[in-house]
Amino acid sequence: MGATRIWTRDEVAARILAGEHLIVYNAHLLRITNSWLDAHPGGALALLHFVGRDASDEIEAYHHDDTLKLISHYSIGRVELTDDAWLPLVPPVMSGWVRKVAQDGKSTEWHSEATPQRSSVDTHLSPSSQILLVSKDHNHTSQPAPDRATLEPPPTSLSLKLQTQHSKAYKELHKRIVDAGLYKTPYLTGYGPEVLRYTLLGCLSAYAYQHGWFITSSVFLGLMWHQLVFTAHDLGHMGVTHNWAIDRLLSILIADFIGGLSIGWWVENHNVHHIVTNHPSHDPDIEHLPFFAISPNFLDSLWSSYYKRTMWFDRFAKVFVAIQHKLFYVVMAFARFNLYANSYTFLYKKAFDTRRARGGRWAWSLEIVGLTFFWSWFGRVLYGCGSWQMALAYLLVSHAVTSPLHVQIVLSHFSMSTADLGPTESFPHRQLRTTSDVICDESIGFIHGGLHLQVTHHLFPRLPRHNLKRASALVKEFAQEQGLTYAEFGFVDGNAEVIGVLRGVAEQVKLMGKVANVEAKEAVEKRLINKKVA
């Protein structure tokens, strides 16, 4: 990185307010152009969430060495450090501000998507560092653009010095994992048995179908989809061949052609989830209103920076959230249909998006071909069931069989913290605070696809899944040395924790309803008394 200019914090803030996207990486200041923001394979939001912040750990965790070598081209100098650390700013997107094309069609200008709601208290659920977004209808701002105060983080209980120490220790841990050769993909011992398993399940489904055992066939098809998702996940993270084009081609074959889901949607969604894990306003993987609310904060009708809409806590949501702990497994049984909806909405919007990410045109086109192929063969399967009743049963059973996967994934996050500790929090601290493992015997680890080791996966997302077990031992040592909690639950205990969280929020909704009824009754009585007096 050749640039030698030293940038002060105030100078960086001024440039950000002027519309530039500046990110700190290993004490260097990176300027992300609009063209690269649009072309970034991980999506624009993955970059916007680090404007004004030190993203060194995240950048190295998510990018291959060959990509890291290109980063020097974006450096415009070094930044002024305080006690060997960068004092972070709040990314504008975290306060509801984004850049949009101006009326002239060439330049960009600030646009307020939502109103930032800074915490006025300091509690476990709503710490003083927290910034949540609500609809502008709640408290419309007349600000034409963010100001210096917008970029200043709220007070936090975290020590910048300690968070910097965690970051340095994480870099050493990462080096140990690299030196141990854990980024080398075990093709034969890892994916060999899996390919045989996929093939066996597919053949069993076809055999049962040919003999008219339609429900049995649907079960085996669902099991094949359940297992295939794990490899699609690895490919989406570039964790198999580590070559973007090859991994994307293979992932489209598996996700779109065989599974009917968009890998392009999943990658964009999943990258944001990893970047801002368990943040109520920014992590799409915990934003499930009107069906689920895992934090009382969702009862304030938050704005989602990913979905670009308000998650209204309306009458419909009140009914479902009040009984969410009872409906949890029912909703999970139909979760795959929600994946279809998100996939096709994403691809539809991309059809009209002139901004194309890397490989955007051919990847998008191939996904459309893949989904057309999927519904052709799967539609033929349903048609061949002989009656609409059996076709419906085949559809529902095959999709319900995949539900344990959805349950497993939410176990690792729904019961963990959803508090926003601010931009001071280090990458390893945030991932260990918001993620947990599912304990299981190694002999049945394949049922979880190895992704029961979510803590290690979140710290090293590109790590081949079959090496997570060995890496997790090193992560546990790291957590103990740094005084951090490595959370893990058995499958049964994890389910109990999630149900407990859902029940807790549901009880608050019921309490709100009782309070509202009492207040309404008091208001009616007061009006009647006033009428009598009059």
Side-chain angles (χ1 to χ4, degrees), residues 492-507:
V492 174
D493 291 339
N495 273 269
E497 288 285 331
V498 170
I499 295 299
V501 169
L502 296 175
R503 182 184 292 111
V505 178
E507 289 173 351

Side-chain angles (χ1 to χ4, degrees), residues 25 78 100 132 159 176 187 205 245 333 340 391 433 449 451 487 493 507 528 531:
Y25 170 67
R78 300 180 67 86
K100 287 197 171 183
L132 298 177
S159 163
R176 290 178 64 190
Y187 292 108
S205 178
Y340 290 142
R433 178 176 62 85
L451 291 179
D493 291 339
E507 289 173 351
L528 291 173
K531 284 183 178 180

Side-chain angles (χ1 to χ4, degrees), residues 246-259:
I246 296 176
D247 279 2
R248 181 52 60 92
L249 278 170
L250 292 174
S251 63
I252 291 176
L253 174 63
I254 293 174
D256 295 76
F257 281 75
I258 301 177

Side-chain angles (χ1 to χ4, degrees), residues 441-515:
D441 188 88
E442 191 171 353
S443 62
I444 60 172
F446 74 92
I447 296 177
H448 297 281
L451 291 179
H452 55 291
L453 300 170
Q454 278 286 302
V455 174
T456 302
H457 169 61
H458 265 253
L459 287 171
F460 304 101
R462 291 186 300 108
L463 203 66
R465 175 164 44 90
H466 306 91
N467 295 335
L468 289 176
K469 182 67 175 178
R470 291 171 59 193
S472 68
L474 299 178
V475 173
K476 288 180 178 180
E477 290 179 11
F478 160 81
Q480 186 174 13
E481 292 168 357
Q482 295 300 308
L484 299 172
T485 301
Y486 189 111
E488 51 185 354
F489 304 97
F491 189 79
V492 174
D493 291 339
N495 273 269
E497 288 285 331
V498 170
I499 295 299
V501 169
L502 296 175
R503 182 184 292 111
V505 178
E507 289 173 351
Q508 291 197 42
V509 173
K510 293 177 182 177
L511 180 61
M512 288 170 57
K514 291 179 180 179
V515 171

